[in-house]
Amino acid sequence: MSTVKSPAVSPLKDYIKTNDKRFLDELLELLRIPSVSADSKYKPDVLKMAEALKSKLVAAGADKVELVPTAGYPVVYGEKIIDPKLPTVLVYGHYDVQPADPLNLWTSPAFEPVVKDGKIYARGSCDDKGQMYMHVKAFESMLKTNDLSCNVKFMIEGEEEVGSANLGQFLKENKERLKGDVILISDTSILANDVPSIDVGLRGLCYMEVEVTGPNRDLHSGVYGGAVANPINILCEMIASMKDKNNHITIPGFYDDVLQLSKEDRADLAKTPFNIENYKKDLDINDIHGEAGFSTIERTGTRPTLDVNGIWGGYTGEGAKTVLPSKASAKISMRLVPNQSSEKTAELFTNYFNSIAPNSVKIKVTTHHGGEPVLTPTDSVAFKAASKAMEETFGKKPIPTRGGGSIPIVALFEKILGLKSVLMGFGLDTDAIHSPNEHFGLFNYYKGIETIPLFYKYYTEMSKK
Ligand code: BES
Ligand code: MN
Ligand code: MN
C-alpha cells in the first residue's frame, strides 16, 4: 500500500516479524477473558485479566510488576528504568471492556475471538486490549533487540469504561512512582488505514440520570387517563425541549465556556479527509443530523452534545397493557468541549431540568461519573516524535484531529501529575467499539507494534536537543 521503500530490515523489525504469530495468539488469549468492569458478575474475570496482564508484563521483561490496589479494580504497573538520566514514557491503557450486549447481534461470541478477513473480532479487540497490548509487544521487541532508548512505565487500569473513579486517587498516592516526562496512550482512532492521524483533543463527559414521578402508583389509563400527568409523556416533552429547531441545547449558560473555533481552526478542520457518502452508507442512514452551522467533523470533535442513552418506564412486555405509569426515567449524557466543566454542566442541567418540570410531577436528578475535555499540544517534542514515527510507518504525515470520545483520566494526568499526553491511537471509527462485532485490524495491530518503538527512538533523540 505504502509507496515508501522500506529500509533494510533491522533486528527490531526482524524480531516483530519472527514473533508476529505469537503476538497475535497472546492477544487472543487476553480477549477470551470477559473483563467487563460495569457488571459485578464479571468481577473474577476482571481480576483474572489483571493477573494475566501482570504475567505478560513480567514475560515481556518489565521490572517491579505488580497489581496496585485501588478502591476498585487494581492498576497493573510495571517499569523498565535503563538510565535515570534518560526521559521516561508513561504508557497508559485499560484492560477493562464494555459489556458485550446485545449478544444476539454478534456474528461470533464476544469473548471467543476469531480472525476473519484480516480483522480480530472480539469485545475489547480495539478498545482497548488490542491497542494496549501493542505497547507490551513493542516493549518486548525493543528490549529483546537492545532497542529500548529510554525509560518506560506501564500503568494499565481496569475501570476506564466506568469512568476511572479511583484513578485520580491512585495518581495522588503514586506521584513518586509515576514520575515521568510524557503519557503515551493508544485508545483512539486514525482516520483511515491510509490516512494516519493523531487526536489532539478529546471531549469531556457529564452523565446524568433523571426520574419523573407522577401518581403514587400505576393507574388504569382509561379511568385516570387525560386527567393525571403521564410521566413518560412529560419526560419526553422535557427532553424534546432541551434542544431547539437548530439542535442547539437550550440549557441556559450551557455554551458560556465553550471555546469558539477560530477561522484558522475551522479552515484546518475543513481539510480533514472525510467522505459524507461513505459515512452515511456505513451507518445505513439517509441523512446526517446535528447542530446547524457546523460540519460533521466540527460536530463530533469540537461541539458539545446532549443525548439520551436510555429511557424506560411503563409497560414494554408482550401485547398491550393499558397503563398510566407512575414513573419514567432516562440516562442523559452531555459530551463537553474545552473549556466546559462537568461539574458546572451537571449543575446547569439539574437546575434547568427542575425548572422546566410542570407542577404535576416530581423530579429526581442524579449525577453519574464525568470527565473533563482536553486539548493536547501539537508543538511538543512528544507530538513531533509521534508524528515522525507514524509518518515513517504509514508513509504519510499524520493529520491532527479531534476525537469525539472521552478518556477522563487525561485531564487528571495534567492536573495531578503535570504531564501532557500523546494520543497515538491505531483503531478506526468503524471498528465498532462499544457495539456488537467490535473488531481490530491485523494491519492496525502490527502497525502499532511497529510504530511505537519509533516513537521512543524519536522522543529520546528529540528530547536531547
Ligand atoms: N477509547 C474510548 C474513548 C475514545 C474512543 C476516544 C474513540 C476517542 C476515539 C474509551 O474507552 C471510552 O469509551 N471512553 C468512554 C468514557 C466514559 C465511560 C467515562 C466514552 O467516551 O464514552
Ligand atoms: Mn478505550
Ligand atoms: Mn471504551
Side-chain angles (χ1 to χ4, degrees), residues 375-429:
L375 286 176
T376 60
T378 51
D379 56 357
S380 65
V381 167
F383 181 84
K384 287 178 190 153
S387 181
K388 191 163 174 196
M390 285 180 101
E391 182 173 0
E392 189 166 324
T393 55
F394 284 88
K396 270 185 199 171
K397 211 179 172 70
I399 301 167
T401 49
R402 304 254 197 117
S406 310
I407 309 175
I409 203 63
V410 175
L412 291 183
F413 284 142
E414 208 168 321
K415 199 170 153 198
I416 300 171
L417 301 179
L419 295 178
K420 303 270 188 195
S421 298
V422 177
L423 302 163
M424 195 170 71
F426 292 88
L428 292 173
D429 282 347

Tab-separated table of all heavy atoms in Angstrom, residues 375-429:
chain	number	residue	atom	x	y	z
A	375	LEU	N	-7.349	19.375	25.385
A	375	LEU	CA	-6.636	19.617	24.129
A	375	LEU	C	-5.196	19.253	24.421
A	375	LEU	O	-4.672	19.598	25.485
A	375	LEU	CB	-6.724	21.089	23.726
A	375	LEU	CG	-8.068	21.576	23.176
A	375	LEU	CD1	-8.034	23.069	22.916
A	375	LEU	CD2	-8.434	20.827	21.896
A	376	THR	N	-4.553	18.533	23.522
A	376	THR	CA	-3.146	18.185	23.753
A	376	THR	C	-2.284	18.994	22.791
A	376	THR	O	-2.719	19.347	21.690
A	376	THR	CB	-2.903	16.671	23.576
A	376	THR	OG1	-3.261	16.311	22.246
A	376	THR	CG2	-3.726	15.845	24.554
A	377	PRO	N	-1.053	19.323	23.209
A	377	PRO	CA	-0.226	20.217	22.392
A	377	PRO	C	0.229	19.569	21.088
A	377	PRO	O	0.401	18.355	21.012
A	377	PRO	CB	0.975	20.503	23.299
A	377	PRO	CG	1.009	19.393	24.290
A	377	PRO	CD	-0.404	18.930	24.463
A	378	THR	N	0.411	20.397	20.070
A	378	THR	CA	0.932	19.896	18.794
A	378	THR	C	2.358	20.411	18.559
A	378	THR	O	2.984	20.066	17.574
A	378	THR	CB	0.052	20.371	17.614
A	378	THR	OG1	-0.115	21.781	17.728
A	378	THR	CG2	-1.292	19.700	17.627
A	379	ASP	N	2.817	21.242	19.499
A	379	ASP	CA	4.168	21.796	19.324
A	379	ASP	C	5.168	21.148	20.286
A	379	ASP	O	6.288	21.609	20.433
A	379	ASP	CB	4.148	23.315	19.537
A	379	ASP	CG	3.581	23.700	20.897
A	379	ASP	OD1	3.153	22.782	21.643
A	379	ASP	OD2	3.568	24.904	21.222
A	380	SER	N	4.758	20.074	20.944
A	380	SER	CA	5.645	19.431	21.918
A	380	SER	C	6.574	18.433	21.232
A	380	SER	O	6.302	17.959	20.122
A	380	SER	CB	4.806	18.692	22.963
A	380	SER	OG	4.111	17.629	22.349
A	381	VAL	N	7.638	18.115	21.920
A	381	VAL	CA	8.582	17.109	21.430
A	381	VAL	C	7.840	15.780	21.239
A	381	VAL	O	8.021	15.085	20.235
A	381	VAL	CB	9.741	16.942	22.449
A	381	VAL	CG1	10.568	15.699	22.130
A	381	VAL	CG2	10.622	18.181	22.445
A	382	ALA	N	6.986	15.454	22.210
A	382	ALA	CA	6.282	14.170	22.150
A	382	ALA	C	5.361	14.088	20.941
A	382	ALA	O	5.304	13.061	20.256
A	382	ALA	CB	5.489	13.954	23.433
A	383	PHE	N	4.642	15.167	20.660
A	383	PHE	CA	3.761	15.135	19.490
A	383	PHE	C	4.581	14.992	18.217
A	383	PHE	O	4.247	14.205	17.323
A	383	PHE	CB	2.884	16.388	19.407
A	383	PHE	CG	1.949	16.358	18.229
A	383	PHE	CD1	0.728	15.701	18.323
A	383	PHE	CD2	2.306	16.924	17.013
A	383	PHE	CE1	-0.131	15.628	17.225
A	383	PHE	CE2	1.467	16.856	15.908
A	383	PHE	CZ	0.245	16.212	16.019
A	384	LYS	N	5.686	15.751	18.164
A	384	LYS	CA	6.529	15.685	16.962
A	384	LYS	C	7.128	14.287	16.783
A	384	LYS	O	7.236	13.783	15.660
A	384	LYS	CB	7.644	16.733	17.045
A	384	LYS	CG	7.105	18.135	16.825
A	384	LYS	CD	8.201	19.179	16.966
A	384	LYS	CE	7.607	20.573	16.999
A	384	LYS	NZ	8.447	21.520	17.744
A	385	ALA	N	7.477	13.663	17.895
A	385	ALA	CA	8.038	12.301	17.816
A	385	ALA	C	6.986	11.318	17.317
A	385	ALA	O	7.269	10.459	16.479
A	385	ALA	CB	8.562	11.885	19.189
A	386	ALA	N	5.757	11.465	17.824
A	386	ALA	CA	4.669	10.568	17.393
A	386	ALA	C	4.395	10.785	15.906
A	386	ALA	O	4.193	9.823	15.149
A	386	ALA	CB	3.414	10.834	18.223
A	387	SER	N	4.388	12.052	15.514
A	387	SER	CA	4.110	12.384	14.121
A	387	SER	C	5.182	11.796	13.194
A	387	SER	O	4.873	11.195	12.160
A	387	SER	CB	4.061	13.912	14.003
A	387	SER	OG	3.785	14.277	12.684
A	388	LYS	N	6.436	11.932	13.623
A	388	LYS	CA	7.540	11.415	12.807
A	388	LYS	C	7.497	9.880	12.731
A	388	LYS	O	7.729	9.290	11.671
A	388	LYS	CB	8.871	11.887	13.415
A	388	LYS	CG	10.049	11.634	12.523
A	388	LYS	CD	11.279	12.431	12.899
A	388	LYS	CE	12.423	11.976	12.013
A	388	LYS	NZ	13.725	12.360	12.481
A	389	ALA	N	7.170	9.255	13.858
A	389	ALA	CA	7.088	7.784	13.887
A	389	ALA	C	6.000	7.296	12.940
A	389	ALA	O	6.213	6.378	12.144
A	389	ALA	CB	6.810	7.315	15.320
A	390	MET	N	4.830	7.924	12.991
A	390	MET	CA	3.726	7.497	12.124
A	390	MET	C	4.023	7.803	10.660
A	390	MET	O	3.675	7.019	9.774
A	390	MET	CB	2.418	8.162	12.553
A	390	MET	CG	1.839	7.551	13.812
A	390	MET	SD	0.307	8.348	14.320
A	390	MET	CE	-0.901	7.178	13.739
A	391	GLU	N	4.654	8.928	10.433
A	391	GLU	CA	4.990	9.274	9.043
A	391	GLU	C	5.880	8.191	8.438
A	391	GLU	O	5.717	7.794	7.288
A	391	GLU	CB	5.687	10.647	8.996
A	391	GLU	CG	6.007	11.056	7.571
A	391	GLU	CD	6.549	12.484	7.459
A	391	GLU	OE1	6.670	13.170	8.501
A	391	GLU	OE2	6.844	12.894	6.327
A	392	GLU	N	6.785	7.686	9.273
A	392	GLU	CA	7.709	6.662	8.771
A	392	GLU	C	6.978	5.347	8.476
A	392	GLU	O	7.215	4.719	7.450
A	392	GLU	CB	8.822	6.444	9.799
A	392	GLU	CG	9.934	5.579	9.270
A	392	GLU	CD	11.178	5.639	10.151
A	392	GLU	OE1	11.484	6.719	10.691
A	392	GLU	OE2	11.814	4.587	10.301
A	393	THR	N	6.089	4.935	9.355
A	393	THR	CA	5.471	3.616	9.143
A	393	THR	C	4.273	3.659	8.196
A	393	THR	O	3.953	2.664	7.564
A	393	THR	CB	5.025	2.978	10.477
A	393	THR	OG1	4.165	3.887	11.162
A	393	THR	CG2	6.216	2.644	11.347
A	394	PHE	N	3.582	4.793	8.110
A	394	PHE	CA	2.433	4.895	7.200
A	394	PHE	C	2.847	5.475	5.847
A	394	PHE	O	2.075	5.424	4.896
A	394	PHE	CB	1.326	5.773	7.799
A	394	PHE	CG	0.510	5.102	8.884
A	394	PHE	CD1	0.913	5.159	10.210
A	394	PHE	CD2	-0.662	4.424	8.571
A	394	PHE	CE1	0.157	4.568	11.214
A	394	PHE	CE2	-1.429	3.827	9.571
A	394	PHE	CZ	-1.018	3.892	10.897
A	395	GLY	N	4.021	6.109	5.820
A	395	GLY	CA	4.443	6.740	4.573
A	395	GLY	C	3.723	8.047	4.308
A	395	GLY	O	3.732	8.565	3.185
A	396	LYS	N	3.047	8.569	5.330
A	396	LYS	CA	2.310	9.832	5.194
A	396	LYS	C	2.312	10.536	6.533
A	396	LYS	O	2.204	9.874	7.566
A	396	LYS	CB	0.834	9.549	4.867
A	396	LYS	CG	0.498	9.458	3.437
A	396	LYS	CD	-1.012	9.299	3.305
A	396	LYS	CE	-1.372	8.739	1.944
A	396	LYS	NZ	-2.786	8.382	1.875
A	397	LYS	N	2.381	11.854	6.505
A	397	LYS	CA	2.359	12.615	7.745
A	397	LYS	C	0.966	12.532	8.375
A	397	LYS	O	-0.033	12.751	7.692
A	397	LYS	CB	2.664	14.080	7.410
A	397	LYS	CG	3.393	14.829	8.495
A	397	LYS	CD	3.655	16.260	7.999
A	397	LYS	CE	4.192	17.122	9.087
A	397	LYS	NZ	5.551	16.801	9.497
A	398	PRO	N	0.883	12.214	9.674
A	398	PRO	CA	-0.449	12.139	10.284
A	398	PRO	C	-1.097	13.516	10.430
A	398	PRO	O	-0.407	14.510	10.661
A	398	PRO	CB	-0.169	11.519	11.653
A	398	PRO	CG	1.263	11.780	11.920
A	398	PRO	CD	1.954	11.848	10.594
A	399	ILE	N	-2.413	13.539	10.285
A	399	ILE	CA	-3.187	14.783	10.380
A	399	ILE	C	-3.664	14.954	11.824
A	399	ILE	O	-4.202	14.018	12.406
A	399	ILE	CB	-4.415	14.693	9.447
A	399	ILE	CG1	-3.967	14.461	8.007
A	399	ILE	CG2	-5.307	15.917	9.581
A	399	ILE	CD1	-5.093	14.055	7.079
A	400	PRO	N	-3.479	16.128	12.422
A	400	PRO	CA	-4.037	16.328	13.767
A	400	PRO	C	-5.564	16.399	13.692
A	400	PRO	O	-6.104	17.102	12.848
A	400	PRO	CB	-3.456	17.680	14.210
A	400	PRO	CG	-2.498	18.102	13.143
A	400	PRO	CD	-2.785	17.312	11.914
A	401	THR	N	-6.243	15.629	14.525
A	401	THR	CA	-7.714	15.613	14.532
A	401	THR	C	-8.221	15.711	15.964
A	401	THR	O	-7.433	15.616	16.910
A	401	THR	CB	-8.272	14.312	13.907
A	401	THR	OG1	-7.596	13.214	14.512
A	401	THR	CG2	-8.092	14.274	12.417
A	402	ARG	N	-9.526	15.865	16.111
A	402	ARG	CA	-10.116	15.894	17.445
A	402	ARG	C	-11.009	14.677	17.629
A	402	ARG	O	-11.912	14.451	16.828
A	402	ARG	CB	-10.981	17.147	17.612
A	402	ARG	CG	-10.228	18.437	17.342
A	402	ARG	CD	-9.928	19.157	18.627
A	402	ARG	NE	-9.584	20.546	18.338
A	402	ARG	CZ	-10.308	21.578	18.776
A	402	ARG	NH1	-11.391	21.377	19.510
A	402	ARG	NH2	-9.941	22.804	18.499
A	403	GLY	N	-10.754	13.923	18.695
A	403	GLY	CA	-11.575	12.748	18.969
A	403	GLY	C	-12.875	13.154	19.648
A	403	GLY	O	-12.892	14.062	20.468
A	404	GLY	N	-13.952	12.475	19.277
A	404	GLY	CA	-15.246	12.793	19.876
A	404	GLY	C	-15.478	12.106	21.200
A	404	GLY	O	-16.315	12.529	21.997
A	405	GLY	N	-14.736	11.024	21.455
A	405	GLY	CA	-14.903	10.256	22.685
A	405	GLY	C	-14.207	10.922	23.863
A	405	GLY	O	-13.692	12.041	23.750
A	406	SER	N	-14.228	10.213	24.985
A	406	SER	CA	-13.645	10.762	26.212
A	406	SER	C	-12.705	9.758	26.859
A	406	SER	O	-12.972	8.554	26.852
A	406	SER	CB	-14.756	11.086	27.218
A	406	SER	OG	-15.767	11.857	26.621
A	407	ILE	N	-11.618	10.250	27.395
A	407	ILE	CA	-10.754	9.457	28.277
A	407	ILE	C	-10.524	10.360	29.484
A	407	ILE	O	-9.574	11.147	29.512
A	407	ILE	CB	-9.429	9.041	27.594
A	407	ILE	CG1	-9.693	8.372	26.233
A	407	ILE	CG2	-8.632	8.092	28.495
A	407	ILE	CD1	-8.435	8.034	25.440
A	408	PRO	N	-11.443	10.242	30.457
A	408	PRO	CA	-11.476	11.241	31.539
A	408	PRO	C	-10.149	11.423	32.273
A	408	PRO	O	-9.862	12.510	32.762
A	408	PRO	CB	-12.540	10.696	32.491
A	408	PRO	CG	-13.403	9.810	31.656
A	408	PRO	CD	-12.508	9.245	30.591
A	409	ILE	N	-9.327	10.397	32.292
A	409	ILE	CA	-8.110	10.492	33.100
A	409	ILE	C	-7.070	11.420	32.460
A	409	ILE	O	-6.169	11.919	33.151
A	409	ILE	CB	-7.521	9.077	33.359
A	409	ILE	CG1	-6.636	9.088	34.597
A	409	ILE	CG2	-6.801	8.541	32.166
A	409	ILE	CD1	-7.347	9.433	35.877
A	410	VAL	N	-7.193	11.686	31.180
A	410	VAL	CA	-6.183	12.522	30.510
A	410	VAL	C	-6.092	13.906	31.150
A	410	VAL	O	-4.997	14.429	31.371
A	410	VAL	CB	-6.463	12.598	28.988
A	410	VAL	CG1	-5.514	13.560	28.305
A	410	VAL	CG2	-6.321	11.206	28.367
A	411	ALA	N	-7.240	14.491	31.484
A	411	ALA	CA	-7.229	15.809	32.145
A	411	ALA	C	-6.579	15.713	33.524
A	411	ALA	O	-5.889	16.637	33.962
A	411	ALA	CB	-8.645	16.349	32.256
A	412	LEU	N	-6.782	14.570	34.182
A	412	LEU	CA	-6.199	14.408	35.528
A	412	LEU	C	-4.688	14.155	35.487
A	412	LEU	O	-3.978	14.505	36.421
A	412	LEU	CB	-6.907	13.288	36.291
A	412	LEU	CG	-8.358	13.586	36.701
A	412	LEU	CD1	-8.943	12.454	37.508
A	412	LEU	CD2	-8.449	14.891	37.483
A	413	PHE	N	-4.207	13.548	34.410
A	413	PHE	CA	-2.751	13.379	34.273
A	413	PHE	C	-2.095	14.747	34.307
A	413	PHE	O	-1.041	14.950	34.902
A	413	PHE	CB	-2.394	12.693	32.949
A	413	PHE	CG	-2.658	11.206	32.933
A	413	PHE	CD1	-3.147	10.579	31.793
A	413	PHE	CD2	-2.401	10.427	34.051
A	413	PHE	CE1	-3.382	9.212	31.766
A	413	PHE	CE2	-2.634	9.057	34.034
A	413	PHE	CZ	-3.128	8.461	32.894
A	414	GLU	N	-2.767	15.694	33.646
A	414	GLU	CA	-2.235	17.044	33.578
A	414	GLU	C	-2.345	17.734	34.938
A	414	GLU	O	-1.394	18.351	35.415
A	414	GLU	CB	-3.011	17.814	32.506
A	414	GLU	CG	-2.186	18.890	31.885
A	414	GLU	CD	-2.827	19.464	30.621
A	414	GLU	OE1	-3.417	18.722	29.806
A	414	GLU	OE2	-2.722	20.680	30.462
A	415	LYS	N	-3.518	17.579	35.546
A	415	LYS	CA	-3.793	18.286	36.799
A	415	LYS	C	-2.975	17.725	37.962
A	415	LYS	O	-2.413	18.474	38.759
A	415	LYS	CB	-5.298	18.154	37.103
A	415	LYS	CG	-5.810	19.178	38.077
A	415	LYS	CD	-7.323	19.136	38.131
A	415	LYS	CE	-7.787	19.617	39.509
A	415	LYS	NZ	-9.164	19.215	39.775
A	416	ILE	N	-2.899	16.406	38.058
A	416	ILE	CA	-2.249	15.795	39.228
A	416	ILE	C	-0.766	15.534	38.997
A	416	ILE	O	0.057	15.784	39.866
A	416	ILE	CB	-2.981	14.492	39.638
A	416	ILE	CG1	-4.447	14.811	39.980
A	416	ILE	CG2	-2.287	13.811	40.822
A	416	ILE	CD1	-5.334	13.609	40.194
A	417	LEU	N	-0.420	15.025	37.813
A	417	LEU	CA	0.993	14.699	37.570
A	417	LEU	C	1.713	15.798	36.785
A	417	LEU	O	2.939	15.745	36.632
A	417	LEU	CB	1.111	13.380	36.794
A	417	LEU	CG	0.502	12.114	37.430
A	417	LEU	CD1	0.702	10.927	36.501
A	417	LEU	CD2	1.111	11.822	38.796
A	418	GLY	N	0.953	16.760	36.261
A	418	GLY	CA	1.577	17.823	35.465
A	418	GLY	C	2.109	17.308	34.132
A	418	GLY	O	3.029	17.882	33.562
A	419	LEU	N	1.542	16.209	33.637
A	419	LEU	CA	2.052	15.617	32.398
A	419	LEU	C	1.051	15.697	31.255
A	419	LEU	O	-0.140	15.462	31.429
A	419	LEU	CB	2.414	14.144	32.631
A	419	LEU	CG	3.561	13.872	33.592
A	419	LEU	CD1	3.764	12.373	33.741
A	419	LEU	CD2	4.843	14.538	33.098
A	420	LYS	N	1.557	16.017	30.078
A	420	LYS	CA	0.727	16.054	28.872
A	420	LYS	C	0.712	14.663	28.234
A	420	LYS	O	1.645	13.882	28.419
A	420	LYS	CB	1.319	17.039	27.863
A	420	LYS	CG	1.492	18.439	28.404
A	420	LYS	CD	0.271	19.278	28.158
A	420	LYS	CE	0.528	20.729	28.538
A	420	LYS	NZ	-0.691	21.499	28.656
A	421	SER	N	-0.329	14.423	27.480
A	421	SER	CA	-0.478	13.121	26.829
A	421	SER	C	-0.315	13.225	25.319
A	421	SER	O	-0.571	14.271	24.737
A	421	SER	CB	-1.868	12.547	27.115
A	421	SER	OG	-2.045	12.347	28.497
A	422	VAL	N	0.093	12.108	24.736
A	422	VAL	CA	0.065	11.965	23.286
A	422	VAL	C	-0.899	10.832	22.983
A	422	VAL	O	-0.765	9.731	23.514
A	422	VAL	CB	1.457	11.602	22.712
A	422	VAL	CG1	1.358	11.381	21.213
A	422	VAL	CG2	2.446	12.701	23.012
A	423	LEU	N	-1.897	11.139	22.152
A	423	LEU	CA	-2.943	10.160	21.844
A	423	LEU	C	-2.630	9.487	20.506
A	423	LEU	O	-3.198	9.829	19.473
A	423	LEU	CB	-4.302	10.859	21.796
A	423	LEU	CG	-4.693	11.585	23.086
A	423	LEU	CD1	-5.822	12.578	22.840
A	423	LEU	CD2	-5.087	10.592	24.165
A	424	MET	N	-1.690	8.533	20.555
A	424	MET	CA	-1.270	7.859	19.322
A	424	MET	C	-2.076	6.572	19.155
A	424	MET	O	-1.618	5.483	19.476
A	424	MET	CB	0.245	7.590	19.369
A	424	MET	CG	0.819	7.226	18.016
A	424	MET	SD	2.639	7.192	17.973
A	424	MET	CE	2.995	5.728	18.926
A	425	GLY	N	-3.309	6.750	18.684
A	425	GLY	CA	-4.202	5.601	18.509
A	425	GLY	C	-4.045	4.969	17.147
A	425	GLY	O	-3.553	5.598	16.207
A	426	PHE	N	-4.505	3.702	17.031
A	426	PHE	CA	-4.392	2.967	15.770
A	426	PHE	C	-5.700	2.309	15.353
A	426	PHE	O	-5.728	1.529	14.415
A	426	PHE	CB	-3.276	1.915	15.865
A	426	PHE	CG	-1.902	2.527	15.962
A	426	PHE	CD1	-1.364	2.873	17.197
A	426	PHE	CD2	-1.170	2.803	14.817
A	426	PHE	CE1	-0.107	3.463	17.288
A	426	PHE	CE2	0.087	3.391	14.899
A	426	PHE	CZ	0.624	3.724	16.132
A	427	GLY	N	-6.794	2.586	16.083
A	427	GLY	CA	-8.089	2.000	15.718
A	427	GLY	C	-8.720	2.766	14.573
A	427	GLY	O	-8.152	3.723	14.041
A	428	LEU	N	-9.910	2.314	14.192
A	428	LEU	CA	-10.696	3.035	13.184
A	428	LEU	C	-12.060	3.320	13.805
A	428	LEU	O	-12.550	2.522	14.620
A	428	LEU	CB	-10.897	2.165	11.929
A	428	LEU	CG	-9.656	1.857	11.098
A	428	LEU	CD1	-9.996	0.847	10.002
A	428	LEU	CD2	-9.081	3.127	10.485
A	429	ASP	N	-12.678	4.443	13.408
A	429	ASP	CA	-14.015	4.732	13.941
A	429	ASP	C	-15.010	3.633	13.580
A	429	ASP	O	-16.011	3.445	14.263
A	429	ASP	CB	-14.518	6.087	13.418
A	429	ASP	CG	-13.886	7.249	14.177
A	429	ASP	OD1	-13.271	7.003	15.234
A	429	ASP	OD2	-14.000	8.399	13.713
